[in-house]
Amino acid sequence: MHLVYPAVLSALLFCTGLYGVLARRNAILVLMSVELMLNAVNLDLVAFDVWLSRAARETLHSGQALTLFTIAIAAAEIGIGLAIVLAVHRNRGTSDIDRLRDTAEGREGDTPAAEKAEATA
């Protein structure tokens, strides 16, 4: 098989994942889009590893080894990411990225000016 086919498929997968990251507002769909982008990179790593091993007659297969590390990191990332999204959803009631604020910020009445007004009253 020629190198162009997996490279074009990988580019399409990566562009689909990039669109999902930029256009989606749900945190779980954003995480799925990031996973799609990582899988596109994995496809490229394996395709170029096979292509380079045929050209150089090497048996090192460093692209496939790097793909295994990427898969392990992606699995850990999705596990931790889903745990964070579920915790935020339990606390805030939504996983909409636009409606979420920084966790260091308080609610509407917990601004420093409101706290200062309560302290002086």
Side-chain angles (χ1 to χ4, degrees):
M1 182 164 49
H2 201 268
L3 181 64
V4 173
Y5 300 127
V8 168
L9 178 63
S10 175
L12 289 174
L13 285 174
F14 192 84
C15 289
T16 304
L18 186 64
Y19 172 75
V21 167
L22 296 177
R24 299 293 176 191
R25 298 296 174 232
N26 190 349
I28 294 176
L29 291 177
V30 170
L31 285 174
M32 288 174 56
S33 298
V34 169
E35 290 294 321
L36 192 61
M37 290 167 54
L38 285 173
N39 285 331
V41 170
N42 286 339
L43 179 63
D44 258 347
L45 282 172
V46 171
F48 278 100
D49 179 55
V50 168
W51 181 66
L52 288 174
S53 68
R54 283 186 191 163
R57 303 286 184 226
E58 294 177 4
T59 58
L60 185 58
H61 299 296
S62 58
Q64 293 178 15
L66 187 59
T67 299
L68 288 176
F69 285 119
T70 308
I71 290 171
I73 290 171
E77 175 257 333
I78 198 69
I80 292 172
L82 281 176
I84 291 171
V85 168
L86 286 175
V88 168
H89 184 47
R90 281 187 194 158
N91 289 336
R92 305 274 175 108
T94 184
S95 62
D96 188 13
I97 295 174
D98 288 338
R99 296 185 62 204
L100 297 177
R101 292 185 297 170
D102 191 11
T103 56
E105 294 179 10
R107 304 216 184 237
E108 285 82 23
D110 293 341
T111 60
E115 291 174 7
K116 195 174 196 181
E118 288 177 11
T120 58

